[in-house]
Each structure stands twice: as C-alpha cells, then as structure tokens.
Amino acid sequence: MCGIIGYVGPRECRDLLLEGLRRLEYRGYDSAGLSLLGDDDIGSVHAVGNLERLRDAVADGNGHLRGSTGIGHTRWATHGRVTEANAHPHSDTSNRVHIALNGIVENWSELRAQLEAAGAKFTSETDAEVVAHLIAQHLDGDLTEAVRRAYNELRGHYAFVAMSADHPGVLVGARKECPLVVGIGKGESFIASAIPAFLAETRNVQLVQDGEIVELTSEGTRFVEPVSGQPIEREVEEVDWDDEAAEKGGYETFMLKEIHEQADAVAETLAGRLDSEAIDLGDIGISDEFLRNVRRVIIVACGTSYHAGLVGRYSIETWARVSAEMDVASEFRYRNPLLDERDLVIGISQSGETADTLAAMRLARERGAKVLSITNIMGSQATRDADGVIFTRAGLEIGVAATKTFVAQVIAMQLFALKLAGLHGTLGPEVTTTLITQLRRMPHMIAELVDSVDEQARRIADQFKDCGFFLYLGRHVGLAICLEGALKLKEISYIPTDAYAAGEMKHGPIALLDENTPVICVATDSPVLDKMMSNIAEVQARGAHVVAVATEGTHVDAEEVIKVPRTDWLLQPALAIIPLQLVAYYIACARGLNVDQPRNLAKTVTVE
Ligand code: F6R
C-alpha cells in the first residue's frame, strides 16, 4: 500500500518528508519520490527501490531540492510498472501542480483522453497523473477550488495531496475512502496517509473523513465538503500512541491491524475491475480466446493460499461451468500430472516466492499448460514464471498468519471466475449484475462485520481458550473456510485442530466428540445448508459445543451463532472467515502468545 506525507510551515522540509516516508516504510513500497516548492518552482526527485535510493537521488541533485512546502510518496505499483517515471509525485504539463495519490482512479483513461485532447502531455503510465493535469486545468487563482472541481470529476477510491507553484504555503488534500489524516503542529501542518508519518512532530490530529477536502497552511486547516463547497468543522484530537503502537496503527499487533485492513484490501483488489455488467481484469496476459476454449483449470498453492484456491475452484465450476481442480503445490509437482496446452494452471501465492508453488507452475509450463499467477507482490518470482498475472492489492502483510491477503485472494479468484463465466456465457445478465453489485458492497460489509463481531469473538475465545482440541466442520465453500479457520487457530495458538468435510464426520472424526469439544460449524447459506444442519444436530447429540457461522436471516440451532451479512451464497466465504480469524486471534492472545510471529513459521517459505 502506498504512503503519503506532506508538510507546510516555516521549516526546510526535505528531511522531514524523508523521515515521514521512513516511518511509512512498514506499509511496503517499490519506489518513492519527493516534490518541494522552492522560491517559485517545484523540484522533484524519484527513485526506484528503497528510501536509501531516494536519499542518494536527493543528494545527487546537489541540494537543489529545497523548500518549506512539500509532498512525498512511497508507491506500491498497481497501475503501471515500477519505474522512476511512474513514481509519485506527478505533475501537470507546465510543472506547476504536483500531486501524490494513494488508491485508484477508475475513470483515468477517459479523463486522460480528454486532457490529452486539450493539450496535456503525460509522462507516466499511471492512473494518478490525470489528477495533476485535471487540477491544473481547473486552476484559476484558488487551489482548493481547483481540487474540489477535480474531485467531483474523479471516480474510484483514493486519497491525494496537491500543491501548486502559484500557491506557496498551501497544501490541499482530498479523501475518497482511502485514509488521510492531518497533523497540527505549532505554526506548521502535516498531512499523511497514516499518523506514524508525523507522530514524532505532533500528536494533535484531525481525521479527514470520507468525501472531504482539506486545505492546509502554516496557520491551520480548513475542511470543505466537495459537492457544495460548504465549510466543515473538525475537532483536533490528541493521540497517545508510543512508537511501536504507531507502527501498528494503534492496534496491539500487526495481525489485528491487518484483520481490520481487510475492507481496504478488498476495495483495492476490486478497484477498476467491476463494470456494471462484466468483469474487467485488464490485460492479464492470458487471452480471452484461450479462456473461451480452456478445457480445465487446475489451481495450485500452499497453506492459506490453497484455501483461497478451494473457494476459487467452486466459483469457477459453479459460475463458469469449466472443470476445475485444486491441488496442494507440493503434491501436484510430484504426481507426474497430465497436462496439455488446453489447460490453465493458476498458481496462488501472496509472496510470489513459495518454492513448491513456483515449482508446480514451472512444471505446468514445461508440459505446455498456460500459467496464471495470483500474487500480492509485484516483481516476485511468480510473476516471472507465469504467462499472466492477477495482482491482489492487499498491501504489505507483516503478521506471519495470512489474513487480508487471504480475503484478497478469494476476491481475485471470484473475479476471475466471473470473467470466465462471462466468456463462456454461463451466467445470465441478471445474476452477473447481482453478483457485481454485491461485490461492490463487499468492502463495506467487511468493515462493518469486523467491528460488529469483535465482542462476540472475544467472548467465544474466553469461553474456549483452554480447550485442548477444536473441530471445524463445513461443506462446499464452507469447508474451505473451515480449513482456513482451523489453520489460523493452530498456527497462532498451537491448539490442535482438525477441519473436515461435514459429510465425512460420521466416517471417523465423530469419535473425537465429547462434552468438552468445541466444534466450529460454517453453516452459511448454501444449497447444502440442510445437510449442514443435520451435521450440527449430530454434533449436539454427542454433547459437544457448537459455534456456528451463519447467514443473517437463517435460523441455525446452535449454542453460539455468529451472523454474517446475506449475499449470494458463493460470496459468503470472504465474510465467514472474519469471525474465525478473530476467534483464533483472541484465543492466542488469551494464551499470551506472540501472534505476529508464531513459533517455527516464516512469512515466506522459499525452501522445498
Ligand atoms: C498461513 C500462511 C501460510 C501461507 C503459505 C503460502 O497463515 O500464511 O500457510 O499461506 O506459506 O504462502 P504464499 O501465499 O506466500 O505462497
């Protein structure tokens, strides 16, 4: 995820901005840049790679980069390659307006065409650059007014900060869904995508809300409603975080922070990919022609990514009616698989570096199959070992236990399944439109769910934290969520867990049940819900405790029922996993364990 920092005040701000970017490094980035407003013009430096490279680039400029109004940015490439030209800040043709932007501008291509027709010269491949040109086009003596007009023409979700050489001592920020926050110092103001960026300078903050514009000067701030232009009152709050808490965004652990970032991760993964009636994945490197004729999809992955693949398998078979198989990468690569040029192999890996997944992808290519990678990391090995790539855009995940990257993988697989269904003509327009509408709402549903189930998850964790074993039961996509929920609990709490297809319970695992066993049942809406209900009754008959995850509006007879919002049943997995992540999290915390760094585990597994 990208980072923004801006400063306006009396101080020479180059080093302040570099330090702000350093404090945002934990969010992950692949290039960075700074723009400073000097006496009459704006100087800018970009660098690919880490901040050391940016510092070197700044030093190479013999200190020409000076000023007391400036913006800085760390970029995590989503639109356009990792190059200096694509790094932010971006400027308009006359180099008078500079912007740094996080997020996605969905209508960038139509805006770019209009701006080019009006004479604008673009220098990058990014969607963000249109914002600088658009503000410049509207600039007529008032930067805030120009930002307001530009904002009203933009679609997507983003946060940006703009400055203009004609308006020294002014920064203007705008927020549409992506985070933006202001820091109020003594005779100076800061703006950033996260509080840690300026926490060493001030603890007084003003939160920019969704759909607001803010003008900053050394004297303070002015908030504006973008449609009406009316002023908005905003109080100043004091944050009491120490440095460590700041890095974690005020959460106790990275894992909890990342659980709360899932709505943003999904919003990013969806951004620009949903038309009203179809899925637009852009150029994924695998042609529509190939996908129309594809014989079989085989998904390979490890761990959590394997569970996301399972959800994908069901989605592909149900929506696109294309035969889909799923295998653990470390098994697939050694089973001498039969493959040919009509097969598509999808390798899912958040890191893009997992040895077994890479080996499985290479083997598939050697045998003539096309290979698509689904990964979170640009430039990772998986992107080089594949014919095509779909990026999840979950941002850097620091907690070893995957959370937000899992949900982003599930969504990416579902986008792919819907695209395939479109090409195969297997879903009617009404169903497609309903699914797209529900996907659009997914970030909001996730954001609300994370908050609304928190207390219940804590209570359940408290009740069962000392149990020696947990069984998870589910069917269909619910089984994938059980496998993932069980993995989360075992890897961070070290409690043995088992996840089973509920229909298999009577073939053995039922022997494990007694009145001390918590059984987590994923019983969300689905065509097999009745069967799942019977399984729950069987569990209860053995005296075990049932905690069920169910869809709002369905009655499930269990000791504890956690409700998730109603959607199409195949979209339930990205919601159903959230309470299970939280239950696992609170159990591990109650046992005093280090959830961010569980024993024996590494974030990236590069050995076989
Ligand atoms: C579990 C977890 C692991 C990874 C697995 C694959 O929380 O994170 O199971 O999912 O090691 O990693 P990637 O997705 O990077 O290939």
Side-chain angles (χ1 to χ4, degrees):
M1 288 207 185
C2 312
I4 295 175
I5 174 78
Y7 173 85
V8 55
R11 289 197 267 172
E12 197 51 62
C13 67
R14 190 181 67 191
D15 293 341
L16 273 177
L17 296 179
L18 283 167
E19 177 56 14
L21 292 181
R22 190 189 67 73
R23 290 180 175 264
L24 293 175
E25 271 189 308
Y26 70 93
R27 296 165 67 88
Y29 64 104
D30 44 47
S31 52
L34 287 184
S35 290
L36 269 79
L37 173 49
D39 290 338
D40 179 42
D41 59 352
I42 300 177
S44 199
V45 170
H46 295 174
V48 167
N50 62 22
L51 284 182
E52 220 30 69
R53 297 264 189 89
L54 182 63
R55 279 193 201 93
D56 291 347
V58 168
D60 286 351
N62 293 328
H64 85 279
L65 203 63
R66 301 180 66 79
S68 56
T69 304
I71 56 180
H73 190 262
T74 45
R75 174 173 189 249
W76 173 285
T78 55
H79 200 115
R81 290 160 302 149
V82 181
T83 62
E84 270 185 35
N86 287 340
H88 299 214
H90 290 294
S91 63
D92 72 313
T93 313
S94 62
N95 196 38
R96 303 298 285 170
V97 173
H98 280 226
I99 65 103
L101 178 142
N102 286 355
I104 312 265
V105 178
E106 286 177 2
N107 57 336
W108 68 274
S109 72
E110 44 194 274
L111 287 172
R112 183 167 172 151
Q114 280 166 26
L115 289 157
E116 279 177 335
K121 300 267 176 297
F122 280 72
T123 54
S124 79
E125 304 159 333
T126 66
D127 53 337
E129 192 183 337
V130 295
V131 178
H133 293 279
L134 199 58
I135 294 170
Q137 195 180 59
H138 288 301
L139 195 55
D140 185 15
D142 182 342
L143 181 59
T144 307
E145 180 57 17
V147 167
R148 190 178 78 81
R149 289 191 187 181
Y151 180 96
N152 288 323
E153 287 181 48
L154 297 170
R155 280 206 317 271
H157 72 284
Y158 49 77
F160 67 82
V161 183
M163 66 180 186
S164 154
D166 302 317
H167 300 81
V170 182
L171 291 180
V172 181
R175 172 177 180 185
K176 178 113 179 261
E177 291 176 28
C178 291
L180 200 61
V181 61
V182 167
I184 305 291
K186 289 202 175 72
E188 57 188 8
S189 306
F190 299 81
I191 187 162
S193 49
I195 293 172
F198 55 66
L199 196 67
E201 303 298 330
T202 179
R203 290 178 175 271
N204 294 328
V205 305
Q206 284 179 309
L207 302 176
V208 185
Q209 305 291 353
D210 191 18
E212 286 183 357
I213 287 174
V214 59
E215 178 187 279
L216 293 89
T217 62
S218 53
E219 268 105 62
T221 55
R222 186 167 72 88
F223 282 72
V224 177
E225 201 285 316
V227 178
S228 64
Q230 290 300 308
I232 303 170
E233 287 300 313
R234 183 56 32 80
E235 64 200 27
V236 178
E237 298 168 44
E238 196 182 327
V239 287
D240 58 0
W241 303 346
D242 60 18
D243 268 7
E244 204 197 324
E247 224 199 349
K248 293 174 186 149
Y251 292 100
E252 279 151 38
T253 61
F254 282 110
M255 183 172 170
L256 190 59
K257 173 171 170 283
E258 285 155 7
I259 289 174
H260 281 262
E261 283 172 351
Q262 293 185 108
D264 280 350
V266 169
E268 294 273 355
T269 301
L270 291 172
R273 291 169 168 171
L274 298 178
D275 279 348
S276 50
E277 285 156 18
I279 300 299
D280 178 7
L281 290 176
D283 181 10
I284 58 167
I286 309 274
S287 70
D288 286 358
E289 179 60 15
F290 175 83
L291 293 176
R292 254 185 225 106
N293 297 309
V294 69
R295 180 182 67 144
R296 197 167 54 135
V297 177
I298 300 154
I299 310 162
V300 292
C302 303
T304 288
S305 300
Y306 170 80
H307 303 146
L310 279 176
V311 177
R313 181 188 77 181
Y314 288 116
S315 307
I316 289 170
E317 285 199 338
T318 312
W319 290 334
R321 303 305 295 144
V322 171
S323 161
E325 293 169 21
M326 176 80 227
D327 207 350
V328 171
S330 55
E331 287 297 314
F332 177 84
R333 59 179 292 205
Y334 296 116
R335 73 172 161 90
N336 198 6
L338 292 168
L339 292 163
D340 70 30
E341 65 288 346
R342 290 165 302 165
D343 294 327
L344 175 70
V345 171
I346 303 181
I348 309 179
S349 172
Q350 83 77 24
S351 64
E353 302 292 346
T354 297
D356 283 314
T357 308
L358 293 175
M361 288 163 59
R362 278 187 218 119
L363 176 76
R365 255 177 140 188
E366 276 160 31
R367 299 205 170 172
K370 278 260 181 288
V371 173
L372 176 69
S373 157
I374 296 192
T375 182
N376 200 38
I377 307 289
M378 279 227 168
S380 59
Q381 190 59 40
T383 63
R384 295 193 284 274
D385 286 346
D387 299 291
V389 184
I390 299 175
F391 287 105
T392 51
R393 303 166 182 152
L396 187 71
E397 191 174 62
I398 294 178
V400 167
T403 51
K404 63 177 180 171
T405 53
F406 170 73
V407 172
Q409 286 169 341
V410 166
I411 297 291
M413 282 305 297
Q414 291 179 327
L415 287 174
F416 176 76
L418 282 176
K419 178 185 164 77
L420 205 57
L423 292 171
H424 286 250
T426 43
L427 281 182
E430 256 174 53
V431 179
T432 309
T433 307
T434 306
L435 288 168
I436 288 175
T437 309
Q438 293 184 357
L439 277 170
R440 255 186 230 292
R441 288 181 39 228
M442 199 54 95
H444 299 283
M445 288 190 276
I446 292 175
E448 280 179 11
L449 184 64
V450 173
D451 286 338
S452 68
V453 295
D454 188 79
E455 206 182 305
Q456 194 179 10
R458 285 176 197 258
R459 187 160 36 78
I460 293 166
D462 197 49
Q463 185 181 347
F464 296 115
K465 62 181 188 301
D466 298 320
C467 291
F469 170 71
F470 281 68
L471 182 65
Y472 288 68
L473 294 176
R475 287 172 179 260
H476 205 276
V477 281
L479 173 59
I481 296 311
C482 285
L483 287 161
E484 176 56 12
L487 176 64
K488 285 295 88 98
L489 183 60
K490 72 166 71 105
E491 71 179 328
I492 61 172
S493 74
Y494 318 145
I495 298 174
T497 64
D498 207 346
Y500 247 82
E504 280 286 289
M505 186 182 59
K506 54 187 159 305
H507 302 291
I510 199 162
L512 291 166
L513 300 183
D514 64 23
E515 56 288 350
N516 295 318
T517 324
V519 182
I520 313 275
C521 296
V522 175
T524 48
D525 198 20
S526 86
V528 286
L529 181 58
D530 283 351
K531 301 218 170 291
M532 195 58 221
M533 302 280 208
S534 309
N535 297 128
I536 290 175
E538 282 163 5
V539 171
Q540 284 171 324
R542 269 80 197 167
H545 304 276
V546 173
V547 175
V549 180
T551 308
E552 263 165 19
T554 16
H555 175 74
V556 174
D557 187 14
E559 193 174 316
E560 186 82 56
V561 181
I562 310 174
K563 289 289 170 85
V564 300
R566 177 168 290 280
T567 59
D568 180 274
W569 65 278
L570 270 173
L571 296 182
Q572 294 274 285
L575 299 165
I577 190 58
I578 286 166
L580 301 192
Q581 293 168 339
L582 285 167
V583 167
Y585 176 80
Y586 287 123
I587 289 178
C589 290
R591 291 164 79 102
L593 299 168
N594 179 352
V595 295
D596 283 336
Q597 181 51 75
R599 69 185 180 205
N600 306 333
L601 288 171
K603 185 73 192 157
T604 306
V605 182
T606 51
V607 289
E608 295 169 15

